[in-house]
Structure formats: structure tokens, C-alpha cells
Amino acid sequence: MPAMISYDGLRSRRAALVLTAVFLTVPASAWAQQTTEDTADIRVTGHRDPEGLLPDQTAPKAVSEISADFIVKQAPTLNAFQLVNLLPGANVASSDPYGLSTSSSLTLRGLGQDQIGVLMEGAPQNDIGYYYAYPSQFADPGNLRTITLAQGSVDIDSPTVGGAGGLLSLTLDDPKAAPQALLDVSLGSYDARRVFARVDTGEIGRTGVKAFVSYSYTRADNWRGAGFDTRRHVDAKLLRDWGDGNRASLALSYNNANASSYPSPTLADWQAQGRGFNYDARYTAGNTNYWRLYRAPFRNLYASAPVHLKLNDRLTLDSTTYLQFGYGNSPYGTQLATTGNFLGNEELTQPIVLPGAVDGVATVLGNYTGDQMRTGNVTKLTLQAGIHRITGGLWFDYGTDRVTQTYTTVDPDGNPTDRWGYRDRAIQTADGRLLAYENQRTVTVTKGFFLADSIALTPRLTLDAGFKGVNLLRNGRNYLPGPQTRVRKDSFAALPRAAVHCALSDRQQIFANITTNFRTPNEFTLYDSYDGGVVSTRGTNALKNEYSVSQELGYRYIGPNLSASATAFHYKFRNRQLATVIDVGGAQVNSTLNAGGQTTYGVDAEIDYRPAKGVSVYLSGEYLHARIDDDLPVGGDFLPTRGKHAVSSPSVQFGAGGTYDDGHLFGSIAGKYLGPQYATFMNDERIAGYATLDLSVGLHLADWIDGKRTDLRVNAINVTNPDVLAGVQAVSTNARDVVGRGGIVISGYAPAYYIGSGAAVIATVSRSF
């Protein structure tokens, strides 16, 4: 769904210790498809991590992973962003301890959520027009086998655009070989309750096909302010594997939720009201701040059908076909008059009908709806020819996005007559047209090709080289009356890359890589929009694509009781895209500008120490230096931003945790510290650093009952309950008035922030049948 649709998340006899995340693995489809066959086989003995974390790794890039063994011990409502919180470079801002709200964000190495590619079973989850991904819509954690986080780049065959910040990949669990069922029941703070049920069929007849289907229902009151969230979710997967590694599957994920979008304060709001900055619990006539006017309903269906075929001893075929549908509304309260309205640049001379209007004004529900459909396929052939492993493939993606801003009537008690914002139930003009502030449809067609070669120069030294070409075409129509009707932007990017990996010994590795990424401007930048019959947002197709070059240099150690990695990275951006304000004929108009360059460098590091069987201690950290290279053009002048810190880019962050599991008792502790973050490009407003802490304890009861999995666990989320701002929800160029390079006074405007989630405790009983 569009980024403005904020689907936009998170929320005693023996002590126990757990880490939350981490840990190096790489998908088989990595850039030039490096695999363990390409390098020396690494085997170690000693104390294995109790969660199977930090698996042996040979990828020529930074990558971390959490497994099902770890995920199943965490709070069952957490979304994928919250689950990767401890990984190096991951900056997660959660407004809700349970991960149900649309108000959350993830940045990696200072790069925002719209710069991070997200895949599930090889299918893209990012919004087609705005590049955002919404973690509350993803598959249930109990059905995930792994969550893989590549902090610096996407795989060459990944069907994503705009992955300079990295790649988050979700892999569903395979159906079980034997029939079984699983039931989870959870109760927690804020009247939270959740039920999760999964059924595995085992082999269906003699077809070789296995399947599972699951259903979950979650409800929780808002931890601050009035309101509550509900989430209904279905996951399913069919799988058939045969022969020498051949397999075909179909994965489905359906989500239907009605989630709260917690209000985001400015710094002045926060200082005045703190956690009391909320929507109103009761409705009074004319009130546009009533909580029922800010609940975002959305539903989505994702389908992915990956196939892997071994055509002969040297040639394999991989193909993934995907399909997704999504519809949702990000509503808000507003007031509308019966007269004085415009449709685009056309003044409406006849009054509109507004039930309940007083003195010609009525409180209404403002709708921001998105209706998307997307389908595509990525197919590749891989040939092993001597020391060469050659991969070539094609990617095609077709999507439509219908976006409208309309109005819906509200009854005398403040209840919207249609919370979904359907166009056929929205307020009409006197002559029967849809009264809309925005009304547009965009078709996006993406075509790509890639070619890569992984060359095993020696048993320990591998060189990778690859090239990807991507063409992205947007065709759209603006249905509002005015000078703009059709829009079009056609872009092509050439994306070369290279990497080298060397196994120094059975335990030590070094690697280096260079990659390129690009991102076209989002679809919103193409369209004019209107306010009071005049242009308020100037659409343009002249913006240049953002382009970046990144490098990594890394070291890994895989020992019997200790594993570690450290990666130095460097990014160089040009044509960074920035939403800002320009002066048009004396009017201040919202627009998107080329913000020039940015340079980023830093170091990620992580250590996993296993001093005894069932015990693991984990540390992670990042140093980040992110600077703006150019002055920003604003309002006919230039803001003096050269050399300033990039926004949402804390210079330091640290994670620490540990796990304990002796087969009967298990537990965890996980803490994260994030340094201060700037919210403006002038660095004239920032939030302070803060720390969070999660704890859990549980019992494996199977041996004491009937041998079938029976677990009891209690998760304490954000136990220290810090009263903080957790992240930047909306940046600004400058919070205070600034004199530009040319002497013009550039007015400031306040950024907005996420309020950090409160503490919560949730207890879960899991039982297999």
C-alpha cells in the first residue's frame, strides 16, 4: 500500500538469558550465487549456539539471520522489524509493544524503510509506488523458518528496486512430513489475547504433496490513549519435492487488520504533553481528534510460487511467480463545508449534501485509500562449467495503484458510516462526481535482466562479478480537473557489482565487495495536487534517479565456542530524493527535490560466545558516520546543510543479550542502545539516545507430560519502560528559521516523532497434537 497509508510497529528458580537475533547466513541466490561448494568446507566442534544462530557462512557480504528456534521463544505478536532489532545496523522505532500498530519504522546503517528491500518466499513485499513495507502485514512469526538480513545490498536476482539499505528476507517453514497440529494461546497486558492454530497434513495420499494452513487472531487495547487493534491472519504453504533437490511450492499469506496509528508529536507537543499526546476517548460535535477517525483498516493477499529444478548435473532452473492484492485506508478526522469547495482547479458552484452539517460545516472522515494489484516473475538458469558458476535471468513486474483522498460521513456518535473509504460510498458533488482531493491511477512496469559469474580461482579463493539492468516505466492518469491528465516516467539503470571471498583457514574468512543501487522517484512526485483550486504539489518527471555505490570489507571467525564478524562499509550517493518546500509565484508549494549527495561509512561488528552447553552470549555494535555532501535548494535559496549529519542516523548503537536452554528451562535477555538522532537536515533538532530491555523465561514440559511439544513462556517487552521518543516519523529541512546562502530567510517547520512503546507482559501456552 502507499507509504502515506500508514499500515503508516512494537511492541523463579533459575535465571535465564537470551539474545534476540543475529547471525550470518546467505540465501543460495546471493549476487553471483556463491555457495559452500565454492570455498573450503568449514567444520567446527564445540558448544553450538542453543538457537542455531551464527551458522557457518561463506557469503562475500555482510548478512545476519535469526532462526525458528529463536523466533518461537519471543513474544508471539512481534513483527519482523522488532525481531531483528539486535542485529548490527538495525534501528527499529516501535510505537506499540506488540507490533500491531502501523506506526513503526526500520532503518539500516541510517538508510530508511523505503531503501530496504523485503521478500517473502522470494516475492517482493514493498509497496510498488512508495517502496515502503509494512511488517504488521507479514506472515505470522510461528510460520517463519528464518529471517535473513543483508545490511548492505540485495541479491542480484532479487525482484526489488531501491535496496541500497539492504534486504530483509522471510522464509516460511516447510510443511511437516507427518500430520500434526499446533495451538498457541496468549494473554497479556492491555487486555491482549491471541490464538494461533496450525494444521500440517503430512503427505496427501501418494501425491508427494505436503501442506500446512494456519489461522491467528490477535486483539489488544492501545497501550496509550483510547482504541484497540485487531488482526486476523492466514498463512498456507503447499510443497512437493522429488529427485535430486527438485521442489515446487505455493505460499499464501492473507492479512485483515484494523490497526491504530498512534499520533506523532512534534518536540513541542512532546515537551507539553508527553505520553498524554493522544486521540480523544469521547466524541463531541465538531471533534476531529476522536480515536475512531484514526483506525486504519487494510487487507492484503500475497502469493508466491517458487520452483527449483535440476535439469542435469550442471544446469539448474529457478523460477518464482508472485501475485499480490491490497486495499486499505489511512483515515483522519476533518471538517468539510457544504459550499466553497473545489474539485482540482474547478470551483463547485452548487452546495454538496452533508448530513449533520451545522451552519454549513460537518465533521467527516477523510480517507486516504490505496488499491493495489501486482504480479511478476523472476527466472534464472545456473550453469556449473569447470571453475565457473554462471547465472543469468530475467525479471518482469506489472502493478497498478489507485490512490484517492475522499470524504465519508460520520454519524452523531462519531462513527464513520464506512471506515474502508470505498469510492461508491464516499461524499459526491451535486452533479454526482466523486469529491476528492487526490484521484489517480498509476501503472508501473519493471523489466530487468542479470548475468553473474562466480569463479573458484582456488579451493579457498572465489571471485564474483555480475551485472543487472533494470527498466522501470510509470504511466499514470490524474482524474482531477486541471491542466494535468497523463503522466509518464521511463527510467533505466545499469548496476554492476563484484566481490571476492577468501577462506584464510578452516575458521577464518575475509571478503570484499562493491555494489550499485538505484531508486526512481516515487509515484507521488509525478502528480499535481490542488488546494483551494490552486496547485499545492507540483508534479514532475524531471527528477533524476537516486544512485549509490557501496563497498564492504569484512572478516569472520568461526570457532568451536566463539564466532565473530566485523564489516567496514562505505556508501556514496548522488541525487538523493527529498520531500521539501519550494516557492512558486510567492506561494510555498510542497515538492520533491534533488538533495544532492551523501557519504556514509562505518563499522558493524558482532560476537557470539558459547561458554557452556545451552548458553550463548551475544554482542553487536555499529559506528556510523553519515554526512550530507551538498547544500539543499529550498525556497529559491540554499540551506547550508553541507557537512551536516544525515537524519535518523545514530552515530553509535549497541546490542547485548544471551540465551539459556537446558531442554527444560529456557530464558532470555536482550538490550539495545541507540545514540541520538537528528530529525532535520540542518541538525537543529534531535532526539536523545535511549535503551530498551526485553526478558523472557519458559519451560519445556514435553518430558513431564506425554512427549509432545508443550511449552509455557512469559515474555516481558521493554521492561524498563523508558519515557522517550523512539525515532523520527517525519523529517524536516530545518526546524528553526535559517538564513540561506543567498540571504533569504527560510522558514522552519517542526519534524514529528514516534513515542516509544510502553512495557508489556504476555504469557503463552503452546501445545502440539
Side-chain angles (χ1 to χ4, degrees), residues 433-477:
R433 291 178 293 171
L434 181 69
L435 182 66
Y437 176 71
E438 279 187 64
N439 191 352
Q440 61 209 38
R441 180 179 184 270
T442 310
V443 175
T444 302
V445 179
T446 308
K447 293 175 283 186
F449 66 91
F450 52 91
L451 182 65
D453 189 7
S454 181
I455 309 169
L457 299 176
T458 74
R460 292 187 179 272
L461 179 63
T462 303
L463 175 66
D464 295 350
F467 178 87
K468 186 174 186 176
V470 179
N471 175 256
L472 190 146
L473 171 66
R474 296 196 197 274
N475 270 313
R477 180 176 178 183

Side-chain angles (χ1 to χ4, degrees), residues 413-426:
D413 296 323
N415 299 306
T417 57
D418 172 33
R419 62 188 176 92
W420 287 95
Y422 291 126
R423 293 190 297 273
D424 59 357
R425 301 187 63 183

Side-chain angles (χ1 to χ4, degrees), residues 364-410:
V364 297
L365 184 75
N367 307 300
Y368 192 103
T369 63
D371 189 353
Q372 288 195 357
M373 184 283 295
R374 185 178 187 183
T375 186
N377 173 271
V378 57
T379 297
K380 67 178 182 182
L381 285 168
T382 302
L383 174 67
Q384 189 71 51
I387 64 171
H388 296 271
R389 190 176 188 193
I390 303 170
T391 300
L394 300 172
W395 171 38
F396 176 80
D397 186 288
Y398 177 90
T400 62
D401 185 19
R402 180 67 188 273
V403 174
T404 58
Q405 287 200 56
T406 61
Y407 307 96
T408 298
T409 57
V410 172

